[in-house]
Amino acid sequence: PGFLKKELSRRLSIPVNYLQLKGWPSCSKITDSCILNELNLPQETKLKVHNTQSKAATSSQTGSRNTVTADSSKTSSSSFGVSDTSNSQKDKGMEVDDNDEDDDDDQVDDYDDDDDVDLINEYMWNDTQPKFGPLMPEDFTDETVALEQFTRGFIDRFGECHPEFYIGSLDDAIKDSLMLKAKERKPLAVYLHDDKSILTNVFCSKVLCSLEVVSYLTENFFVWAWDMTNDKNKKRLLSNATKHFGSVAAMQIKNYIPNQLPLLLIISRARSTNEVSTVIQGSTNLDELMSNLISAFELFQDQQRKDMVEEDKREIRESIKQQQDEAYAASLVADRLKEELRQRDMEIERVAQEKKDAEEKERVENEKSKAQKREMLAKKLPEEPSEEYKDGITQIRFHLPSGDFITRRFRGHEPLRYLFYFLTLKGYPNEDFKVLSRFPPQDVTQLDERKSFEQLKLYPQVTLFIAER
């Protein structure tokens, strides 16, 4: 009743505290806070509207009566007018009586069932027998399918001119509207529908679906809808609200249930947080709704401009940081390459040094071995015969690789190996050098070193050539 009085007050320009609705069943205890669909009213209920302003205010208009009547020249069934009907004995519809305080409270005017201004039917008091099925099923597993059904049902009830509802979960709607760069964002309008509310039918058909509202919402908002008619869907919505907007916002929405549905919630984003910035109730008229939407959008734009400035600053900071990080990473790469080169050079140097050390060690060992060999050979090599001995002596002249000559006298019966001992002691071992003769041409190092000079015909005088192998 309280909501009905508010609507009548708005349409008839009579303060709510001066309005009385008469004609309720006598068995009902009616207060303004009662919920109509819980009063078990008969399918057809006729009420009389009384204006209870002071007698002094109304006495000057004795005999004048204000009656709610239909304007037949208008096509909308919800058009109302107020006219003076002082000569009328009985008016159809809901009658506003300014001064007849002595009327019997049980007196209810006759009501024409065909009258287009049946306010009770307009507000769907009899919601136990809806003309259409629910906009959203109670049990569903796919939100997308449920919201597609909501949109189809909404069009069936209120026509093709309607807000373009986002088809998808609330999470997806938030991502596509608010979780973007600041300059790409749009505010999110969340419409909460309730078939049990007496305000729903008029709000949807006359306000929400007006061309002016639809155009403004389409241009500036994302619109997501949800049916709050059954308890399961209410719980789903409150759970999602807690998740996305916080427990305070969820409690605020819960406080509007069920008496103040339908609602239009405007969701905006500030300081990286999604929040309910505006709540528009279903009792709002067209002008109020447009004013609220424009104000909400202007607030959103103010915050959007601030976020864009902060976002630009953040992008500049991130760009500078990225450049610094890249420069630091490049320096690390350069340092790593430099270190790798240094390590490689050190490794090459180490290997070279090891090789040099090994060669030197080998050389020293070879020299040592050769020295030992020379020492041994020196002991085995007999002394050179003196010049006094002429008989049985062979004189061998060696032509060295350097071009120099050396001469050595050997006894003719001594074996050839003494010649090799002598050359080794002079630094021309058989391993590295060969001994050649020209007459006859032969490689002396290939001869049997056990035979004597005489046997090998290296006697009495021979010139031999020392050549590197």
Side-chain angles (χ1 to χ4, degrees):
F3 286 111
L4 186 55
K5 283 186 177 181
K6 289 181 181 179
E7 182 63 17
L8 290 169
S9 173
R10 183 178 67 83
R11 297 195 181 197
L12 302 177
S13 299
I14 299 174
V16 173
N17 56 326
Y18 294 123
L19 280 175
Q20 283 188 358
L21 298 179
K22 297 186 177 182
W24 299 104
S26 57
C27 60
S28 301
K29 295 181 180 179
I30 307 300
T31 65
D32 286 351
S33 61
C34 291
I35 298 174
L36 293 177
N37 65 330
E38 295 179 357
L39 296 179
N40 298 319
L41 298 175
Q43 184 172 354
E44 181 179 298
T45 302
K46 301 175 183 178
L47 300 176
K48 186 175 183 180
V49 180
H50 286 262
N51 183 346
T52 61
Q53 287 177 309
S54 64
K55 290 183 179 181
T58 58
S59 60
S60 61
Q61 301 178 10
T62 304
S64 175
R65 300 168 62 88
N66 288 333
T67 307
V68 180
T69 62
D71 186 349
S72 60
S73 66
K74 297 183 180 180
T75 57
S76 173
S77 63
S78 61
S79 299
F80 288 84
V82 180
S83 61
D84 289 336
T85 55
S86 57
N87 295 326
S88 175
Q89 297 298 320
K90 186 177 291 185
D91 297 303
K92 296 179 181 179
M94 303 179 69
E95 186 176 275
V96 181
D97 192 339
D98 289 334
N99 54 11
D100 190 3
E101 292 184 351
D102 297 330
D103 286 352
D104 185 359
D105 287 348
D106 294 334
Q107 176 67 35
V108 180
D109 290 340
D110 292 338
Y111 190 86
D112 186 352
D113 291 338
D114 295 330
D115 197 327
D116 286 339
V117 296
D118 186 344
L119 195 59
I120 297 175
N121 287 339
E122 181 181 357
Y123 279 88
M124 299 175 66
W125 287 15
N126 186 20
D127 63 346
T128 59
Q129 297 178 0
K131 297 171 66 175
F132 301 96
L135 291 181
M136 185 179 291
E138 183 173 358
D139 296 312
F140 60 85
T141 56
D142 189 335
E143 283 191 13
T144 299
V145 174
L147 290 169
E148 287 175 347
Q149 177 177 325
F150 180 97
T151 301
R152 289 193 299 270
F154 196 92
I155 293 172
D156 289 342
R157 295 188 189 185
F158 307 111
E160 294 291 339
C161 183
H162 66 88
E164 184 178 348
F165 298 123
Y166 180 93
I167 303 300
S169 66
L170 179 58
D171 186 60
D172 290 338
I174 291 173
K175 289 178 181 178
D176 290 344
S177 60
L178 298 173
M179 306 301 289
L180 305 170
K181 288 187 175 181
K183 62 182 178 181
E184 299 173 358
R185 294 174 192 164
K186 279 188 175 183
L188 177 63
V190 176
Y191 170 61
L192 302 182
H193 183 90
D194 188 357
D195 281 339
K196 296 179 182 179
S197 172
I198 62 172
L199 301 176
T200 297
N201 191 43
V202 171
F203 180 73
C204 289
S205 61
K206 307 304 177 187
V207 180
L208 186 62
C209 292
S210 68
L211 181 59
E212 185 178 4
V213 171
V214 170
S215 299
Y216 194 78
L217 286 173
T218 301
E219 181 178 358
N220 300 302
F221 291 80
F222 269 75
V223 183
W224 185 82
W226 192 259
D227 187 3
M228 303 282 283
T229 304
N230 63 68
D231 292 336
K232 285 187 177 180
N233 288 344
K234 288 176 186 175
K235 291 179 180 178
R236 288 192 182 101
L237 188 281
L238 292 174
S239 176
N240 281 331
T242 302
K243 173 183 176 183
H244 294 292
F245 314 133
S247 58
V248 175
M251 183 59 67
Q252 182 183 6
I253 295 171
K254 186 176 182 181
N255 290 337
Y256 285 108
I257 301 173
N259 296 333
Q260 301 183 56
L261 292 174
L263 293 176
L264 191 62
L265 311 177
I266 306 301
I267 314 300
S268 60
R269 185 170 179 81
R271 297 177 296 279
S272 301
T273 303
N274 300 324
E275 58 184 23
V276 180
S277 61
T278 305
V279 178
I280 303 174
Q281 299 183 33
S283 58
T284 304
N285 61 32
L286 178 58
D287 292 339
E288 292 171 341
L289 177 60
M290 282 302 303
S291 177
N292 287 333
L293 289 177
I294 292 171
S295 297
F297 187 67
E298 288 175 349
L299 288 174
F300 172 83
Q301 286 183 312
D302 289 341
Q303 184 61 48
Q304 185 181 38
R305 283 188 286 269
K306 294 178 184 178
D307 290 344
M308 288 171 64
V309 171
E310 289 299 322
E311 198 170 80
D312 289 341
K313 292 180 180 178
R314 183 170 61 253
E315 288 180 354
I316 292 173
R317 291 194 301 269
E318 290 176 353
S319 177
I320 294 173
K321 184 177 182 301
Q322 183 179 359
Q323 292 174 4
Q324 293 173 339
D325 291 344
E326 290 175 353
Y328 178 68
S331 68
L332 289 180
V333 171
D335 292 345
R336 186 172 66 250
L337 291 175
K338 188 183 297 183
E339 179 64 19
E340 289 176 355
L341 290 174
R342 190 181 72 83
Q343 293 292 340
R344 186 184 67 179
D345 292 342
M346 290 178 60
E347 181 65 16
I348 293 173
E349 185 178 349
R350 183 187 65 78
V351 171
Q353 185 62 40
E354 288 180 353
K355 182 180 180 181
K356 183 179 179 180
D357 293 343
E359 290 175 349
E360 179 64 18
K361 182 178 180 182
E362 184 180 1
R363 185 190 67 77
V364 170
E365 289 178 352
N366 288 337
E367 288 295 330
K368 184 178 180 181
S369 177
K370 289 178 181 179
Q372 290 175 349
K373 185 178 181 180
R374 285 194 298 269
E375 184 178 352
M376 181 186 65
L377 293 177
K379 292 179 181 179
K380 291 182 179 182
L381 179 65
E383 291 184 2
E384 182 179 6
S386 66
E387 294 289 340
E388 298 176 356
Y389 293 98
K390 302 293 183 181
D391 296 334
I393 299 298
T394 182
Q395 182 174 300
I396 300 179
R397 187 169 179 254
F398 298 96
H399 187 269
L400 301 177
S402 63
D404 296 333
F405 290 90
I406 59 174
T407 302
R408 177 67 157 81
R409 290 160 56 87
F410 295 93
R411 296 174 179 85
H413 64 274
E414 290 177 341
L416 179 63
R417 64 174 174 269
Y418 286 173
L419 181 145
F420 297 143
Y421 290 171
F422 172 76
L423 290 175
T424 299
L425 292 173
K426 293 296 183 180
Y428 303 101
N430 284 357
E431 295 84 0
D432 301 324
F433 297 89
K434 57 186 176 179
V435 182
L436 304 175
S437 69
R438 291 184 178 178
F439 304 103
Q442 62 180 345
D443 184 356
V444 177
T445 55
Q446 300 297 321
L447 301 178
D448 189 354
E449 65 178 9
R450 293 172 299 178
K451 292 183 177 183
S452 67
F453 293 102
E454 293 177 346
Q455 291 174 328
L456 296 173
K457 299 182 179 182
L458 299 175
Y459 181 85
Q461 187 174 348
V462 178
T463 298
L464 299 177
F465 295 86
I466 309 302
E468 292 185 9
R469 290 184 181 278

